[in-house]
Amino acid sequence: MQENNKNYLGPLFIIGLLFFVFGFVTWVNGTLISFFKKAFDLSNTGSYLVTFAFFISYTIMAIPSSLVLKKVGFKKGMSLGLGIMAIGTLIFVPAAKVESYPLFLVGLFTIGIGLTLLQTASNPYATILGPRESAAQRISFMGIANKTAGIISQKIFGGILLAGGVAGATISAKEELQKVITPYLILTGVLVVLAILIQFSKGLPEVSEEQEGNDVSDITTKSSVFDFPNLVLGLIALFCYVGAEVIAGDSIISYGISLGFSTDEASQFGTYTLWLMMLGYVLGIVLIPKYVSQQTWLKLSSILGIIVTILALVTTGFSSVLCIAILGLANAIMWPAIWPLAIDGLGKYTKIGSAWLVMMIAGGAILPLVYGSLSDFLKNSQLAYAIMIPLYAFVLYYAISGYKKKSW
């Protein structure tokens, strides 16, 4: 058994590295929202097109990605995903030179396409590389790698892109946008090197469809994937959760600036959310399922989300910012808790059900845009956080009874 663990160590390190890349690229969006808002003088709604362009690619590419992987295999798929991401980061260079916000959004959409392919290919490895009974633990460790990368990327990009945001400072949009060129060129180089390393890596085994499948039962009387209420309600719950997570993680810097904090200070607020998400992952590793079930954790997380959102609405200054950061703790274990409840009993519909669940990452595209529009309409970014209460309320309903529904 120990020898087996050693065999898994190399491949798991590679997958951990890829989860680090996911986090690094994804969690920089909060910094980009504030950066583009200032550089292009955007409304809140306009600035949240960053998350829309990035996350909508998951919805569009979820099913095409699985088709691509069937043709090229998982290892080549990962390499291809990294290559597409490198094209997306490279687009940032001409976008900065011609000062085009739409071209930046094209770059973000392209990065999202590569990331969808990369995640669809690499996620099964976290389950397969080791005993199935410890898969949840491995996924939590991958989550820690993801959030650690997010903290590092927000520190680096916040320091580069949001530095020197002092009232009255005169810096042209052109000068402001030049700041993205060097870091994104470096990021492009790193992604290309990783793509080549994955392509020629001998330590990463190819995953067969038999290994990937996690539901051997094909016995079902249902005629459509939408005949499963636990899946359909799970899709809505996942949509709500992803939207809540992205709003909490990506709006906190802009929210801090709107409260009067300097951009230098506010640029660090996103890391607080990620630290608290990491705490959630660690608690999950220690407590689930030995001391608390995933369903109970999901209930408690939803309740925490509702309470902390209300506190964010009624407190002021840094206290309110801290409440938004604490939502990171509430969001941490929602994905791995909702997913198994949603695909339970799907039988032969498991794969298409999983593809639909990935498509619900659209919550991260649409709901932050709704939050931004609400901020503009109310002229108050704090009050707009009220949108989070019904999102957490639906997840709570799903955790209490929605997941138990087996027929309409």
Side-chain angles (χ1 to χ4, degrees), residues 222 225-233 397 405-408:
K222 313 282 189 181
V225 72
F226 300 113
D227 289 340
F228 296 88
N230 61 306
L231 174 70
V232 175
L233 296 172
Y397 154 72
K405 278 181 77 74
K406 297 299 177 189
S407 65
W408 294 112

Side-chain angles (χ1 to χ4, degrees), residues 29 62 98 118 131 139 169 177 192 207 234 244 354:
N29 286 340
V98 299
L118 189 61
I139 290 165
L177 291 170
V192 168
V207 176
S354 297

Side-chain angles (χ1 to χ4, degrees), residues 4 15 56 74 87 100 118 127 161 259 276-277 280 288 407:
N4 269 353
I15 300 304
I56 203 67
F74 283 79
I87 293 167
S100 170
L118 189 61
T127 305
L161 303 183
L259 292 179
L276 283 153
M277 285 188 88
I288 301 171
S407 65

Side-chain angles (χ1 to χ4, degrees), residues 6-16 125 129 142 203-205:
K6 280 181 187 171
N7 293 342
Y8 293 136
L9 209 56
L12 277 172
F13 176 78
I14 294 169
I15 300 304
Y125 279 98
L129 294 171
M142 297 304 167
L204 205 59

Side-chain angles (χ1 to χ4, degrees), residues 188-203:
T188 302
V190 170
L191 290 168
V192 168
V193 169
L194 274 174
I196 294 165
L197 286 175
I198 296 288
Q199 180 66 34
F200 295 104
S201 162
K202 289 194 171 32

Side-chain angles (χ1 to χ4, degrees), residues 151-372:
I151 291 164
I152 293 167
S153 74
Q154 290 209 358
K155 288 268 185 194
I156 293 171
F157 281 84
I160 295 169
L161 303 183
L162 300 180
V166 192
T170 53
I171 177 167
S172 70
K174 192 168 187 66
E175 288 173 301
E176 196 78 57
L177 291 170
Q178 297 308 300
K179 292 179 184 177
V180 305
I181 293 176
T182 303
Y184 272 86
L185 277 173
I186 293 167
L187 197 49
T188 302
V190 170
L191 290 168
V192 168
V193 169
L194 274 174
I196 294 165
L197 286 175
I198 296 288
Q199 180 66 34
F200 295 104
S201 162
K202 289 194 171 32
L204 205 59
E206 189 56 72
V207 176
S208 69
E209 283 202 55
E210 289 74 25
Q211 283 174 293
E212 188 206 352
N214 61 356
D215 194 321
V216 293
S217 167
D218 275 336
I219 302 159
T220 176
T221 56
K222 313 282 189 181
S223 58
S224 160
V225 72
F226 300 113
D227 289 340
F228 296 88
N230 61 306
L231 174 70
V232 175
L233 296 172
L235 293 174
I236 300 167
L238 208 68
F239 182 90
C240 292
Y241 142 70
V242 176
E245 178 176 279
V246 175
I247 292 169
D250 286 355
S251 70
I252 193 168
I253 298 173
S254 289
Y255 178 50
I257 293 168
S258 76
L259 292 179
F261 291 95
S262 71
T263 50
D264 285 345
E265 196 176 354
S267 70
Q268 302 306 310
F269 291 164
T271 65
Y272 302 164
T273 311
L274 294 171
W275 277 116
L276 283 153
M277 285 188 88
M278 285 225 309
L279 174 62
Y281 279 118
V282 172
L283 289 173
I285 290 167
V286 174
L287 301 176
I288 301 171
K290 194 174 180 182
Y291 300 104
V292 60
S293 70
Q294 286 195 138
Q295 290 95 311
T296 303
W297 191 276
L298 190 57
K299 285 179 210 167
L300 295 173
S301 294
S302 309
I303 293 164
L304 178 64
I306 293 166
I307 293 168
V308 173
T309 301
I310 292 167
L311 288 173
L313 293 170
V314 298
T315 53
T316 56
F318 185 71
S319 298
S320 184
V321 169
L322 196 56
C323 287
I324 300 303
I326 291 168
L327 290 175
L329 178 60
N331 296 330
I333 305 292
M334 285 192 176
W335 177 279
I338 293 169
W339 189 283
L341 298 177
I343 62 168
D344 182 48
L346 263 59
K348 64 183 179 183
Y349 296 107
T350 299
K351 283 195 176 179
I352 188 66
S354 297
W356 272 99
L357 284 164
V358 170
M359 288 167 78
M360 289 305 103
I361 291 174
I366 294 163
L367 293 173
L369 209 53
V370 174
Y371 165 80

Side-chain angles (χ1 to χ4, degrees), residues 88-106:
T89 54
L90 195 58
I91 289 171
F92 270 53
V93 178
K97 289 188 181 293
V98 299
E99 300 171 56
S100 170
Y101 185 47
L103 194 53
F104 276 115
L105 296 178
V106 170

